Amino acid sequence: MLTRIDHIGIACFDLERTVDFYARTYGFEVFHTEVNEEQGVREAMLRINGTDDGGASYLQLLEPVREDSTVAKWLERHGEGVHHIAFGTEDVDADAGAIREKGVRVLYDEPRRGSMDSRITFLHPKDCHGVLTELVTSAAPSATTDH
Amino acid sequence: MLTRIDHIGIACFDLERTVDFYARTYGFEVFHTEVNEEQGVREAMLRINGTDDGGASYLQLLEPVREDSTVAKWLERHGEGVHHIAFGTEDVDADAGAIREKGVRVLYDEPRRGSMDSRITFLHPKDCHGVLTELVTSAAPSATTDH
């Protein structure tokens, strides 16, 4: 069961400048940064609020590190903006399986590694009214509730 | 101060079909529906989770009711997808004023009426790295506070 908005994924050309914009404009701070080689991005997670399922909601700022990454290609077509949205669940495998059975295309056969050692998969945007949709199971409650 | 992701605004061609998709696929239920004549949309709010500032996070599904509404024009150019993101604050006037002073264009001189009698304003997407960004103060921000 999907129990929270886990994050909003925002694609940008320059991660430092975009992090600086969110800090200056709203006071949002960087909670975590990492490079995800498989996804071809480096990213900054800005924690916005806690959620009543024991998790949290973040902005995920994404800059491509390879020209052939999906985020690089997306930026080429769309320019900067909201790239995907993500819902949190305790069991991404069960939810992805149930959603696949409803006829929605799930992009990975098995969940892959996402931010902060989470396990993630994506749903095809054409099956989701134009919204690239991610499902996320956090590594552990402490990964999302403590610094 | 912005204390939560209040909602993700998703533009769609057919509100009933999109509501049905979110119900069938994820089990998300309609919390509220209304027509906002000024914005030229009818909308369904799907409540996803509570937030630790005493508010909640929603998906806001938006269908234009006029061809000259900004959402209709946006759909014409982009097709269905994420139209804007919204942050919740206890004082939209103060936050909009402070953000304007930082050089970010605020689209309304004074906040206008948003979903569920909230007060809202928007920031220019070109000043926000491509993200149309809304600020929201709920009608009764502390009505559901339990922390």
Side-chain angles (χ1 to χ4, degrees):
Chain A
M1 193 173 78
L2 310 184
T3 54
R4 71 180 175 278
I5 294 177
D6 185 86
H7 64 268
I8 301 169
I10 295 173
C12 64
F13 291 117
D14 184 319
L15 189 60
E16 280 69 33
R17 288 184 63 166
T18 310
V19 163
D20 182 60
F21 165 80
Y22 279 97
R24 269 189 300 112
T25 310
Y26 309 121
F28 295 158
E29 293 175 7
V30 173
F31 181 83
H32 175 82
T33 60
E34 68 180 88
V35 176
N36 187 319
E37 296 287 357
E38 184 183 5
Q39 302 284 340
V41 295
R42 61 197 196 101
E43 60 184 63
M45 299 293 278
L46 314 182
R47 187 183 186 280
I48 310 302
N49 59 263
T51 55
D52 61 3
D53 65 349
S57 294
Y58 301 85
L59 298 188
Q60 181 187 53
L61 307 179
L62 300 160
E63 181 197 313
V65 292
R66 295 196 311 263
E67 284 183 12
D68 66 342
S69 71
T70 57
V71 171
K73 292 174 188 170
W74 188 91
L75 275 166
E76 186 87 12
R77 286 198 305 278
H78 296 84
E80 294 185 317
V82 176
H83 175 262
H84 68 271
I85 67 174
F87 298 113
T89 167
E90 284 206 346
D91 190 344
V92 62
D93 300 87
D95 281 303
I99 288 168
R100 181 180 275 125
E101 286 189 3
K102 291 170 185 169
V104 174
R105 283 168 285 180
V106 177
L107 299 189
Y108 302 153
D109 288 336
E110 296 292 331
R112 299 183 186 177
R113 190 186 161 281
S115 302
M116 304 186 284
D117 291 323
S118 61
R119 297 178 68 242
I120 65 171
T121 196
F122 286 94
L123 310 180
H124 199 300
K126 288 195 178 168
D127 294 346
C128 300
H129 289 268
V131 178
L132 177 60
T133 303
E134 179 180 340
L135 310 179
V136 184
T137 295
S138 300
S142 59
T144 54
T145 56
D146 293 328
H147 280 263
Chain B
M1 193 173 80
L2 310 185
T3 54
R4 70 179 174 279
I5 293 176
D6 186 85
H7 64 267
I8 300 169
I10 295 172
C12 62
F13 291 116
D14 183 320
L15 188 60
E16 280 68 33
R17 287 184 64 166
T18 310
V19 163
D20 182 58
F21 166 78
Y22 280 96
R24 267 187 301 112
T25 310
Y26 308 121
F28 295 158
E29 292 176 7
V30 173
F31 181 82
H32 175 82
T33 61
E34 68 181 89
V35 176
N36 186 318
E37 296 287 357
E38 184 184 6
Q39 302 284 343
V41 295
R42 60 196 194 100
E43 58 184 64
M45 298 293 278
L46 315 182
R47 187 182 185 282
I48 310 302
N49 57 265
T51 55
D52 61 2
D53 65 350
S57 295
Y58 300 85
L59 298 187
Q60 180 186 55
L61 307 178
L62 300 160
E63 181 196 312
V65 293
R66 295 194 313 263
E67 282 182 14
D68 66 342
S69 70
T70 58
V71 172
K73 291 174 188 169
W74 188 90
L75 275 166
E76 186 85 13
R77 287 198 306 278
H78 296 85
E80 294 185 316
V82 176
H83 174 261
H84 68 271
I85 68 174
F87 298 114
T89 167
E90 283 207 347
D91 190 343
V92 63
D93 300 88
D95 282 303
I99 288 168
R100 182 181 275 123
E101 287 188 3
K102 292 170 185 168
V104 174
R105 282 169 284 180
V106 178
L107 299 188
Y108 303 152
D109 288 335
E110 296 292 333
R112 299 184 185 176
R113 189 187 162 282
S115 303
M116 303 186 283
D117 289 324
S118 60
R119 296 179 68 244
I120 66 170
T121 195
F122 286 94
L123 310 181
H124 199 301
K126 289 195 178 168
D127 295 347
C128 300
H129 288 268
V131 178
L132 177 60
T133 303
E134 179 180 339
L135 310 180
V136 184
T137 294
S138 301
S142 43
T144 57
T145 301
D146 57 1
H147 63 274

